[in-house]
């Protein structure tokens, strides 16, 4: 399996996604600040992977904190949480992971006889549990979603919602993997995904790794391929899904969804429950990360645009729920109206915990 990130005795080890596909190299983060930096610089990226990385960063910070009492450790931990929360604003998995680690800290600290050592051990175990659960959730999404994909034909995806964006297997690419394992004859069309090229570099790399037929297309080619009947389904991941089913995902997803609707092609979103944000009523309230202009003005160190030209670089857009055919989660497949189905499945999940 592709080792996106890994807890090691020395620190958290990340496959450096800024260097793929030409170089498979690793970055070892030995402090929580370094983990935060790895998230900001997109050495690791993708909503679920960001969440688990943050949890591992907090576990690392806790492990190395000089605090000898639980209150002192808690004070350190709050600072670590603030640093982690300031990395990337859109993927709600980041805030979900920080919240889960905070809750676990509180639980561990309230136990009779709790010590700074017992809290440390418990938080490291929690981060590792989140890693295992993420892979399990991807597998379940795959099992739930595979039958939605055609028995044969072209499936278009945008950005990278694969093993590299999770702890393994992937969300949208996990559903594709699962369908292929079940015998579907699929050809994946990967949008290149300007400006960071997650599709051209990462989706292409990991699908070729698995021997799944893949073609990369420039972002402006999707409509033409759809019109020529080459695409039978679209499947993407998500960074945050609001309570009404609006989906924030990589910039460019919105136009793909509109194109899919115009051509009568189903548009699926695959995401773990940690991506669902019932506290955010609609997509309008989702914070959209603005990234550096240089991601647009330069490629591989080479300037592409004239000096001083205006630049836009929102990293994500919002696809209104009306364009989404179904949302695939580890708890099952949701259909519109999402304001009902999301709340029903949330209640069922809470009940079964
Ligand atoms: O900026 P990125 O590369 O972190 O954006 C990633 C995406 O938009 C993914 O589609 C999303 O996080 C889902 S990953 C399973």
């Amino acid at each position: 399996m592709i080792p996106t990130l890994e807890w090691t005795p020395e620190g958290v080890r990340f496959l450096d996604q800024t260097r793929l596909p030409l170089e498979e190299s690793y970055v070892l983060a030995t402090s929580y600040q370094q983990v935060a930096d790895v998230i900001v610089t997109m050495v690791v990226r993708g909503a679920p992977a960001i969440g688990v990385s943050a949890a591992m960063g907090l576990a690392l910070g806790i492990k190395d904190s000089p605090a000898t009492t639980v209150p002192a450790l808690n004070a350190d931990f709050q600072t670590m949480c603030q640093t982690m929360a300031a990395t990337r604003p859109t993927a709600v998995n980041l805030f979900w992971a920080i919240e889960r680690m905070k809750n676990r800290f509180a639980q561990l600290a309230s136990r009779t006889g709790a010590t700074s050592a017992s809290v440390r051990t418990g938080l490291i175990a929690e981060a590792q549990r989140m890693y295992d659960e993420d892979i399990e959730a991807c597998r379940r999404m795959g099992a739930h979603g595979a039958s939605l994909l055609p028995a044969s034909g072209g499936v278009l995806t945008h950005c990278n919602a694969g093993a590299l964006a999770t702890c393994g297997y992937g969300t949208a690419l996990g559903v594709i993997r699962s369908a292929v394992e079940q015998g579907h004859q699929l050809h994946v069309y990967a949008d290149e995904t300007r400006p960071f090229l997650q599709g051209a570099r990462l989706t292409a790399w990991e699908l070729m790794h698995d021997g799944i037929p893949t073609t990369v297309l420039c972002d402006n080619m999707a409509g033409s391929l759809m019109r020529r009947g080459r695409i039978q389904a679209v499947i993407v991941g998500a960074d945050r899904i609001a309570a009404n089913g609006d989906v924030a995902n990589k910039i460019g997803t919105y136009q793909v969804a509109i194109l899919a609707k115009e051509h009568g092609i189903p548009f699926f979103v695959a995401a773990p429950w940690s991506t669902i944000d019932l506290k955010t009523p609609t997509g309008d309230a989702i914070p959209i990360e603005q990234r550096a202009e240089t991601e647009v003005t330069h490629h591989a160190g080479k300037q592409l645009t004239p000096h001083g030209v205006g630049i836009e670089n929102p990293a994500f857009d919002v696809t209104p729920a009306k364009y989404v055919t179904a949302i695939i989660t580890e708890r099952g497949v949701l259909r519109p109206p999402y304001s009902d189905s999301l709340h029903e499945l949330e209640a069922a999940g809470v009940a079964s915990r």
Side-chain angles (χ1 to χ4, degrees):
M1 205 165 70
I2 295 164
T4 311
L5 65 136
E6 194 183 12
W7 178 266
T8 77
E10 295 79 36
V12 191
R13 191 168 170 263
F14 296 92
L15 176 58
D16 187 345
Q17 299 192 30
T18 65
R19 295 186 178 270
L20 286 173
L22 300 181
E23 197 186 300
E24 275 179 59
S25 59
Y26 293 84
V27 171
L28 182 69
T30 55
S31 67
Y32 78 89
Q33 291 97 333
Q34 282 179 12
V35 173
D37 191 53
V38 152
I39 295 172
V40 170
T41 54
M42 290 169 70
V43 165
V44 69
R45 28 69 47 204
I50 291 172
V52 177
S53 299
M56 289 210 174
L58 293 175
L60 186 61
I62 280 279
K63 178 171 89 70
D64 294 336
S65 161
T68 52
T69 64
V70 174
L73 192 62
N74 191 22
D76 267 8
F77 180 62
Q78 296 308 321
T79 308
M80 293 169 204
C81 290
Q82 278 168 16
T83 303
M84 230 34 102
T87 53
R88 297 192 69 191
T90 304
V92 76
N93 308 61
L94 173 76
F95 306 97
W96 167 86
I98 295 169
E99 213 43 44
R100 181 159 156 177
M101 291 294 273
K102 279 186 175 172
N103 290 339
R104 189 69 184 136
F105 190 111
Q107 268 177 5
L108 292 162
S110 67
R111 284 187 181 163
T112 322
T115 62
S116 59
S118 68
V119 172
R120 280 191 173 92
T121 311
L123 279 184
I124 294 168
E126 187 70 3
Q128 286 170 328
R129 209 167 10 252
M130 287 159 78
Y131 177 93
D132 293 339
E133 285 175 14
D134 185 61
I135 298 174
E136 178 59 23
C138 288
R139 294 260 175 203
R140 281 178 192 271
M141 269 176 260
H144 286 305
S147 63
L148 298 174
L149 296 184
S152 64
V155 176
L156 184 130
T157 190
H158 190 75
C159 194
N160 171 269
L164 289 167
T166 60
C167 297
Y169 204 67
T171 59
L173 298 192
V175 174
I176 290 174
R177 282 195 167 92
S178 177
V180 169
E181 283 162 17
Q182 291 177 23
H184 295 228
Q185 305 283 312
L186 300 179
H187 191 107
V188 178
Y189 290 90
D191 276 352
E192 65 174 353
T193 320
R194 279 276 291 155
F196 200 70
L197 302 179
Q198 289 93 332
R201 298 187 303 106
L202 308 177
T203 295
W205 180 79
E206 74 163 84
L207 291 180
M208 288 180 78
H209 194 271
D210 279 11
I212 297 176
T214 304
T215 297
V216 170
L217 50 143
C218 299
D219 294 336
N220 49 6
M221 297 173 184
S224 163
L225 258 76
M226 288 181 184
R227 193 166 155 80
R228 285 186 280 146
R230 303 265 293 275
I231 310 292
Q232 278 61 53
V234 176
I235 186 161
V236 298
D239 282 81
R240 195 186 289 233
I241 300 175
N244 69 341
D246 289 353
V247 174
N249 192 49
K250 180 52 54 192
I251 189 76
T253 304
Y254 173 48
Q255 61 201 37
V256 173
I258 293 174
L259 285 169
K261 178 120 182 165
E262 174 65 21
H263 292 89
I265 297 166
F267 179 91
F268 300 115
V269 175
W273 207 259
S274 50
T275 302
I276 289 159
D277 179 9
L278 295 179
K279 289 193 208 112
T280 296
T282 72
D284 291 341
I286 297 176
I288 302 293
E289 178 184 9
Q290 303 290 323
R291 290 192 61 90
E293 291 187 355
T294 48
E295 287 183 354
V296 177
T297 57
H298 288 67
H299 180 67
K302 194 166 176 283
Q303 188 169 335
L304 306 172
T305 56
H307 280 297
V309 72
I311 298 293
E312 286 278 350
N313 190 15
F316 302 95
D317 61 26
V318 173
T319 298
K322 66 177 178 180
Y323 295 109
V324 180
T325 311
I327 299 175
I328 303 155
T329 74
E330 71 274 36
R331 296 188 188 180
V333 175
L334 289 90
R335 297 280 183 177
Y338 297 111
S339 35
D340 293 345
S341 51
L342 281 167
H343 282 95
E344 276 160 25
L345 224 50
E346 167 70 3
V350 170
S352 68
R353 253 175 242 155

